[in-house]
Amino acid sequence: MSSPKKDVNLDMQLLSKPGSPTRNGDTIVDDNYDPHLHRNRPHPTTNFETLVHLLKGSLGTGILAMPQAFYNAGWLSGFINTILIGALCTYCLHVLVQAQYALCKRHRVPILTYPISMKMALAEGPQCLRGLSKYAVVIVDGFMIVYQLGICCVYIVFVATNIKQLVDVYLVLDVKLHCLILLVPLIGINMIRNLKVLAPFSSLANVITFVGIGMILYYVCQDLPSISEREAVADLGKFPLFFGTTLFALEAVGVIIALENNMATPKSFGGTCGVLNSGMTVIIILYAGMGFLGYLKYGADALGSVTLNLPEGEWVSQSIRVLFAIAIFISYGLQCYVPVDIIWNVYLADKYKDSGKKQLVYEMLVRIVVVITTFLLAVAIPRLGLFISLFGALCLSALGIAFPAIMEICVRWPDQLGPGKLILWKDIVLILLGIVGLAAGTYTSVRDIIYSFQ
């Protein structure tokens, strides 16, 4: 992917050329420039490859944590709110992609990253927000890096925990030692440098994931207790944990923006039957179904991953653990792509551009350091369910809900906010929802993490 700094430089160059759009007050007048027609990606992905990456980016450890999430919400509340949160995530992603497209069109640049889009939007939005534009890149990049590193930490803990259950039959080892054994293979898969090469791996991981989900449902659907034995609506104090876990599970904003930016036909991403809606529909159905059936089966005993609830001595359950360990291990490379891309392309690549062949060495060192960082965090806090809820609430409430709403307000400011400024009020509600979700979810998760060590 190209550096966001280069995108901004290109933007400034184009705006200074004859024929560029002109300012009318705070609004730049559009012409017929279509950013999608001017993209030149070195390894563009097809619609199918993008859909495969989208499914793999969302069908990870999150779906396996849904039974425990439903325990924190209740079967009825969990089912309804999973659909609502899924619809909200999808809508906010559409808002984000459309706002980025409007900025690209307005400024006659083919592509903009999330942080640069946020900076440019704030600079052209309400006067009270313009001062924040100089901090936008660091803030968005910070949330994005923390979130994606959090996913990678969860993946390491998940794979290590499931391998431990398999190996414990023959040799009992600490889960931290299993994390250490995974370190070299994880560094190896993180050496893959573009999404095109990762596509076959994502396809394999998707096949393994769907087979594994089918096998889990085989266990879960046996001898189901009466629904009357489970709470329809759980205690409200546990709902922030449900919200954080579900948001973590459904929202893959970092990967999704990277996917849209890397498509050969980006117009196919949105739309009623586009890649985003098609992928998210499948994902929401699977998450709601797994959460409902898993909670119905295991109730309060549902663990941070439903694979940990499966019988330990049966070969089928052991096969499920192996399948998901392989699938999540493969997915680590896709999830790690985003933080490496930000850290290297935004902050380091330009510093080493004159170093010749050493530039590749420096990039490889960055990739190794990122993997080691996620390993150390995973070893420090091996609490899978609480890890998931924390990173979902902390980062995705901002990245997936509040920031897209802020960007839409700025892009449409001041005279494109709809009748009675309906879009403004709608986005204010989304911003408040994001802030409440961030505060409540983060507080609850951190509190429970502290309690778990006592």
Side-chain angles (χ1 to χ4, degrees):
M1 296 179 68
S2 62
S3 167
K5 292 182 179 178
K6 295 177 182 176
D7 289 334
V8 174
N9 292 335
L10 175 63
D11 170 45
M12 294 301 104
Q13 293 170 12
L14 288 170
L15 285 173
S16 65
K17 292 181 179 179
S20 294
T22 57
R23 282 193 175 273
N24 180 11
D26 287 331
T27 305
I28 297 180
V29 180
D30 281 337
D31 61 3
N32 293 322
Y33 179 85
D34 186 350
H36 291 161
L37 300 179
H38 294 268
R39 289 185 179 179
N40 182 23
R41 312 306 288 162
H43 304 285
T45 51
T46 65
N47 292 352
F48 177 74
E49 288 171 339
T50 303
L51 180 61
V52 167
H53 279 312
L54 173 58
L55 290 173
K56 191 69 230 88
S58 296
L59 287 176
T61 54
I63 190 170
L64 304 177
M66 288 307 294
Q68 189 182 71
F70 269 55
Y71 162 69
N72 290 317
W75 64 263
L76 179 60
S77 173
F79 190 85
I80 294 173
N81 283 295
T82 297
I83 295 173
L84 292 177
I85 293 173
L88 175 65
C89 290
T90 306
Y91 173 75
C92 289
L93 287 168
H94 278 291
V95 168
L96 178 58
V97 170
Q98 290 166 7
Q100 286 188 304
Y101 178 82
L103 286 167
C104 287
K105 185 177 178 68
R106 180 181 297 176
H107 291 280
R108 298 172 63 85
V109 291
I111 194 169
L112 288 170
T113 61
Y114 191 171
I116 298 300
S117 299
M118 194 69 183
K119 178 179 180 179
M120 296 173 70
L122 287 170
E124 299 170 6
Q127 194 68 40
C128 61
L129 296 179
R130 292 183 182 183
L132 299 175
S133 63
K134 58 186 175 182
Y135 307 110
V137 172
V138 173
I139 291 173
V140 175
D141 278 344
F143 273 109
M144 194 79 76
I145 291 170
V146 170
Y147 166 59
Q148 293 295 149
L149 292 181
I151 292 179
C152 294
C153 294
V154 169
Y155 280 16
I156 293 174
V157 175
F158 175 87
V159 175
T161 304
N162 279 272
I163 291 177
K164 174 176 169 57
Q165 279 202 342
L166 290 170
V167 175
D168 277 356
V169 178
Y170 311 99
L171 178 64
V172 178
L173 299 173
D174 190 274
V175 67
K176 296 178 181 179
L177 184 57
H178 287 287
C179 291
L180 179 62
I181 294 170
L182 288 170
L183 184 57
V184 172
L186 289 170
I187 290 174
I189 199 169
N190 199 38
M191 294 297 106
I192 299 175
R193 300 173 62 211
N194 67 68
L195 291 174
K196 190 76 173 178
V197 177
L198 282 172
F201 291 96
S202 287
S203 298
L204 174 61
N206 274 340
V207 172
I208 293 173
T209 299
F210 279 109
V211 171
I213 289 173
M215 295 173 72
I216 288 175
L217 291 175
Y218 162 79
Y219 272 107
V220 169
C221 292
Q222 291 184 17
D223 302 320
L224 286 173
S226 170
I227 199 170
S228 61
E229 297 181 25
R230 305 292 181 235
E231 288 184 307
V233 180
D235 180 70
L236 187 61
K238 295 190 294 184
F239 189 82
L241 291 173
F242 166 82
F243 179 80
T245 301
T246 306
L247 199 61
F248 178 96
L250 290 171
E251 182 72 90
V253 61
V255 171
I256 286 173
I257 295 303
L259 293 177
E260 195 273 342
N261 284 348
N262 208 60
M263 285 184 70
T265 55
K267 288 186 182 295
S268 302
F269 189 76
T272 305
C273 297
V275 173
L276 178 58
N277 283 354
S278 300
M280 289 301 292
T281 299
V282 173
I283 290 163
I284 292 169
I285 292 172
L286 288 173
Y287 273 64
M290 179 65 77
F292 176 81
L293 292 172
Y295 174 56
L296 185 60
K297 173 72 173 181
Y298 298 111
D301 294 326
L303 299 175
S305 169
V306 70
T307 57
L308 303 178
N309 286 108
L310 302 178
E312 293 189 15
E314 300 181 14
W315 71 268
V316 176
S317 62
Q318 291 177 332
S319 300
I320 293 172
R321 292 188 182 93
V322 171
L323 288 174
F324 271 103
I326 293 172
I328 298 303
F329 171 80
I330 292 172
S331 303
Y332 181 93
L334 176 61
Q335 299 296 348
C336 214
Y337 176 91
V338 177
V340 169
D341 182 65
I342 294 171
I343 294 169
W344 176 250
N345 283 329
V346 178
Y347 299 101
L348 297 177
D350 286 347
K351 296 179 180 179
Y352 301 105
K353 64 182 179 181
D354 298 325
S355 59
K357 293 182 180 179
K358 289 184 178 180
Q359 185 178 32
L360 179 60
V361 175
Y362 292 137
E363 182 182 346
M364 295 299 106
L365 287 175
V366 169
R367 292 177 177 274
I368 292 172
V369 169
V370 168
V371 176
I372 292 175
T373 300
T374 60
F375 159 76
L376 293 175
L377 288 171
V379 169
I381 313 176
R383 303 290 192 271
L384 187 59
L386 296 175
F387 230 145
I388 290 173
S389 180
L390 172 62
F391 284 106
L394 176 63
C395 299
L396 291 176
S397 295
L399 289 172
I401 299 175
F403 288 177
I406 293 172
M407 192 183 297
E408 184 176 47
I409 290 174
C410 294
V411 169
R412 290 178 173 271
W413 188 266
D415 54 4
Q416 300 176 37
L417 295 169
K421 298 190 182 299
L422 181 62
I423 293 175
L424 173 63
W425 296 115
K426 177 264 297 181
D427 285 334
I428 288 175
V429 171
L430 289 177
I431 294 167
L432 292 175
L433 178 62
I435 293 172
V436 172
L438 186 153
T442 301
Y443 168 77
T444 306
S445 299
V446 171
R447 181 199 65 193
D448 287 5
I449 287 173
I450 293 172
Y451 287 165
S452 72
F453 281 101
Q454 293 178 349

